[in-house]
Amino acid sequence: MSTELESTRRALREAVAQAGRAAELARLLDAAQAKLAAAERSVEEAKALGEQLAETEDRLAAEQVTADKLRKELSEQRFQAEVANWKLSSIKVARWSRLGDAIKSGKSNPIRLAKGLRGASRPVKRPIAPKRKPVSATRAKEDRPGVAYQATSTTRTLGGASFKLKPFRVPTGPNTRPHLTAAVIADPHAEALLRYEWRQTTGFTPRDFARVLPLEVPHLLVVESVTQGPWAEEVTGEPGEGLKALLAWCAERGIRTVFWHTQGDVAAYGQAAELFEFRFTADLSVTWPRLQFGVQPRVHNPLPLAGGRIDRVLTLDQLLPEHLAYPDVLTSYRWPAAADCPPGTPQWRLAELAACGTSIGTEPDDRRAHVALRRAYGMGTMTERIDELLEAIGLPSARATLNTSVLLPIMDPFLMEHALAQVARQSGVDQLIVIGPPETELRARDVLPDVEIVYRRPHPAMTEGAMLAAGIDLCEADLVAIMDPRDVYGAHYLSDLRRAFLFSTADIVGKAAFYAHLRKPQATLLKQPEAEYRYLPEIAGATLLARRNTLRELGFADLTEGWDEVLMRQCRTDGIKVFSADRFGYVRVRDEDRWLLGAAQLVEFGSAEPHALI
């Protein structure tokens, strides 16, 4: 009897414990759902505010255009009034007019008539004709890249239907090498590629360069094989006097001069090119040193249009009508679900399309588009091309780097091999800070022989947040990545994440959209697929890549679960931008996760790696 009673009591205690755990899980699920709902509201609010800001900017731009037009009309009216006054003054001082005045005033007085006729016969200086004055802009002159270089053509026509787009906002700074100034003569396409690589002076002409360039003497002059503008005739055929004077002005000041052949028959520019110190070409058939087009991350990137993509596949002719200015081309790149490009499309055009995240082909394919984007950047960015140029002409190319330290806290010794294998897959890791069991140090040196290893043994009671806080002060690279030993990271994980620092203005980059795998139900989930390439309130802590100084200032909460939520909350408080990149290259792995089950969509029952690791 006592045995049955004890068994009953034990069963009751277990039932009570299970009920308590179930209640706690239910509470956690409710809390997670509340957080998810709050996050969704924040995303919607941010999206609405972004749309309002874009509309306000459009209205402001329209008002500025109207104001400039009225200013021009007023200036023209003033000029016409000055012309009328000049004509009247000219008539008054004309000899026939003065003779008529003398006769009229002296007709009753012969002496006055004689004096008047003598005065009218003397030559009188005529007034100087007025000249049109240039109309000054309403805005103060800006030196930042991209100012007054915004998209304007917001309407596209397809099959007789009209579509209004919210233009891609061309970024206005910063540039890669603020210590370097370049005077550039280029067509709009090449100018867009170069303008973020240094402080750039453009717009000077053969008549005014001697007045414009001394305002900020450049370190080098770059002249493209232009086909339009005031310099086109100067660089084709026989070199113009303006070009010769510009090069002489540069030679007197020790300014390096570069000619860049990008288009047209090189023979047409041969005589002018011989006057430059350095010559480069994008044409593989020309024997000059190579300087190919590269994607410019500031404008060729997967940041979406405010209105999203149209659900259609467009041909290149439909996508890029001839009348579009280059800023409007950047809008068009982001518009279609896919672009069907004919054979013979220039490689640089395909690379720019792919870098904007657009599928190339007859059907949209997110996975193929991501691989093409990665390949476009892998072919070389304009920043890397300018590094090569500056090295060839003997100028320093100092700029910020994307060197990376990895912070790897290992709390479970059984996860050590898996965790080190994930880091070993990555490229561009300069330093690994590993905090874990004693055997981790030697194993890390074996697995990562070319990486600087810094090992620290944790105290038994240390939380994951405490480990990260101890490790951040040991990091030396410009960027710091935090990796979770439980999760799976693809070979391109870090290189894909680092790319976001080339085009976003965030201090912290990670993933709010990602794949997850739950072992017990063998389920693969996709969390927040709509959160790619957006500034959001938070990202997953296991995907965090941040500027080292930012993490040092923020610090880490002394928690094992939830340290990332505290960090994201502090980012919102301090106004630190957080950017969510693509969904690929990472899989969150857990035995079970009720919060994920309620917050993500089911992909399939099976492995997540075929979906995530591309």
Side-chain angles (χ1 to χ4, degrees), residues 67-78:
D68 289 342
K69 182 179 179 181
L70 292 174
R71 187 176 294 99
K72 289 179 181 178
E73 291 176 354
L74 178 60
S75 177
E76 180 63 21
Q77 290 175 2
R78 287 175 176 170

Side-chain angles (χ1 to χ4, degrees), residues 264-309:
D265 184 0
V266 70
Y269 302 96
Q271 295 184 56
E274 288 297 324
L275 303 178
F276 289 76
E277 292 179 272
F278 303 93
R279 289 166 291 281
F280 297 87
T281 181
D283 189 340
L284 297 177
S285 65
V286 180
T287 58
W288 296 347
R290 298 280 179 270
L291 181 60
Q292 303 284 9
F293 286 137
V295 296
Q296 174 50 260
R298 302 306 310 285
V299 295
H300 305 137
N301 56 59
L303 292 174
L305 295 181
R309 294 182 180 270

Side-chain angles (χ1 to χ4, degrees), residues 177 179-182 198 218-221 254-258 278 386-398:
R177 304 171 186 84
H179 65 283
L180 197 63
T181 301
W198 41 42
H219 298 90
L220 75 160
L221 168 72
I255 298 169
R256 290 168 173 79
T257 57
V258 174
F278 303 93
I386 297 303
D387 283 343
E388 298 168 3
L389 167 69
L390 295 176
E391 183 178 358
I393 69 176
L395 283 177
S397 180

Side-chain angles (χ1 to χ4, degrees), residues 373-429:
L373 183 153
R374 183 187 292 154
R375 188 182 301 118
Y377 273 82
M379 291 168 59
T381 65
M382 209 61 212
T383 298
E384 293 165 331
R385 300 280 191 261
I386 297 303
D387 283 343
E388 298 168 3
L389 167 69
L390 295 176
E391 183 178 358
I393 69 176
L395 283 177
S397 180
R399 59 181 176 87
T401 70
L402 298 179
N403 296 340
T404 306
S405 295
V406 173
L407 262 176
L408 184 64
I410 300 177
M411 303 188 73
D412 185 348
F414 294 102
L415 292 173
M416 179 188 69
E417 290 291 343
H418 173 79
L420 293 176
Q422 304 311 304
V423 180
R425 285 183 175 183
Q426 309 306 315
S427 60
V429 176

Side-chain angles (χ1 to χ4, degrees), residues 261-384:
H261 171 243
T262 62
Q263 57 192 327
D265 184 0
V266 70
Y269 302 96
Q271 295 184 56
E274 288 297 324
L275 303 178
F276 289 76
E277 292 179 272
F278 303 93
R279 289 166 291 281
F280 297 87
T281 181
D283 189 340
L284 297 177
S285 65
V286 180
T287 58
W288 296 347
R290 298 280 179 270
L291 181 60
Q292 303 284 9
F293 286 137
V295 296
Q296 174 50 260
R298 302 306 310 285
V299 295
H300 305 137
N301 56 59
L303 292 174
L305 295 181
R309 294 182 180 270
I310 186 174
D311 188 21
R312 291 178 63 176
V313 177
L314 304 182
T315 65
L316 207 56
D317 290 338
Q318 292 173 318
L319 188 63
L320 302 174
E322 292 183 358
H323 68 278
L324 291 184
Y326 194 70
D328 299 306
V329 169
L330 298 174
T331 298
S332 288
Y333 279 164
R334 294 163 164 80
W335 186 38
D340 185 9
C341 301
T345 302
Q347 189 63 41
W348 62 264
R349 177 76 76 187
L350 296 174
E352 290 183 1
L353 267 168
C356 291
T358 300
S359 290
I360 297 176
T362 56
E363 293 182 359
D365 187 323
D366 290 344
R367 292 166 58 82
R368 192 174 67 233
H370 183 74
V371 172
L373 183 153
R374 183 187 292 154
R375 188 182 301 118
Y377 273 82
M379 291 168 59
T381 65
M382 209 61 212
T383 298
E384 293 165 331

Side-chain angles (χ1 to χ4, degrees), residues 568-586:
M568 293 296 103
R569 207 158 45 236
Q570 190 62 45
C571 289
R572 294 192 289 275
T573 301
D574 295 350
I576 293 172
K577 284 188 176 181
V578 177
F579 184 77
S580 172
D582 59 89
R583 76 182 75 169
F584 300 107
Y586 165 75

Side-chain angles (χ1 to χ4, degrees), residues 123-145:
V124 177
K125 186 177 180 180
R126 296 175 68 87
I128 299 174
K131 295 182 179 180
R132 279 190 171 88
K133 298 177 182 178
V135 182
S136 60
T138 56
R139 297 180 294 272
K141 183 181 177 182
E142 287 275 9
D143 293 329
R144 297 178 300 165

Side-chain angles (χ1 to χ4, degrees), residues 183-185 221-225 235 243 246 258-261 276:
V184 174
I185 298 170
L221 168 72
V222 178
V223 178
E224 187 203 9
S225 50
V235 299
L243 179 64
L246 172 61
V258 174
F259 184 81
W260 186 21
H261 171 243
F276 289 76

